[in-house]
Amino acid sequence: MTIIRAKDYAQMSWHAAKLIAAQVVLKPNCVLGLATGSSPVGAYQELVKSYRMGALDFSGVKTVNLDEYVGLDAGHEQSYARFMRENLFDHVNIDPGNTNIPNGMNPDEAAECARYDKLIADFGGIDLQLLGLGPNGHIGFNEPDDAFPTGTHKVALTDATIQANKRFFASEADVPRFAYTMGIRDIMQAAHVVMVVSGEGKAGIVKDAFFGPVTPRIPASILQLHAHFTLVADEAALSKL
Ligand code: GLP
């Protein structure tokens, strides 16, 4: 595990964007695993800046997003499909046909999960997977459990996650109760995993996840075993180490 210690959110975003940009420059047809949430937004803004300056070309890049809420269509204000368009895809020259997100409207859970895992396998895996960190240690929507889930699956969101994500919805009742998410195997098989974490509120879970035992009760802890894992965090998020 490599830790990049950033001063603040802006510097964290700059470092993460540099790692992603380097991946795109070195392998223009790379597969990027992408994440939602407030943590990666700044990194996406940096990537858009680099694209506008002519330093990045996304025309050959393929993307697979970590997760999507079950029951939200791609046009829904809070769908992760829309988040990705608004924060990145609409602002760079990526081919929308090369962008992939689980289909939250597919009622056939087995078919949707199998489709997504096959898609990742057919791409030959993920070159760089970007992650945020849930307040309970979740990655994607892999929630604390008795075992590490492997492939793409449908997950019941925990109360902690519903509470954390209700700020984006009109009310708590509007937060979807289920999501499709890539599994831990999909994430662990990525050649390089980059996590962005910011703020004092995440300091406790950063310490528990990366300086405590590896346990499915803290899904992110498994990244301690990844051969190429880079944690990009600001000083506040690292303040309990
Ligand atoms: C959501 C997403 C995660 C994300 C997490 C943290 O639950 N499914 O992928 O990492 O939120 O979000 P934030 O970065 O806003 O703290």
Side-chain angles (χ1 to χ4, degrees), residues 131-153:
L131 294 177
L133 179 64
N136 59 0
H138 75 223
I139 45 178
F141 268 132
N142 289 278
E143 297 279 40
D145 207 340
D146 294 333
F148 289 107
T150 55
T152 303
H153 58 289

Side-chain angles (χ1 to χ4, degrees), residues 35 39 59-60 87 127 150:
S39 307
S59 60
N87 286 285
D127 291 297
T150 55

Side-chain angles (χ1 to χ4, degrees), residues 35-40 66-67 80 131-135 138-141 161 165 167-168 202:
T36 55
S38 46
S39 307
L66 282 166
D67 46 15
Y80 287 165
L131 294 177
L133 179 64
H138 75 223
I139 45 178
F141 268 132
T161 297
N165 290 3
R167 66 191 194 275
F168 300 113
K202 296 268 175 82

Side-chain angles (χ1 to χ4, degrees), residues 45-56:
Q45 287 167 353
E46 290 290 340
L47 290 173
V48 171
K49 258 196 249 169
S50 298
Y51 166 72
R52 287 189 179 142
M53 279 165 26
L56 277 181

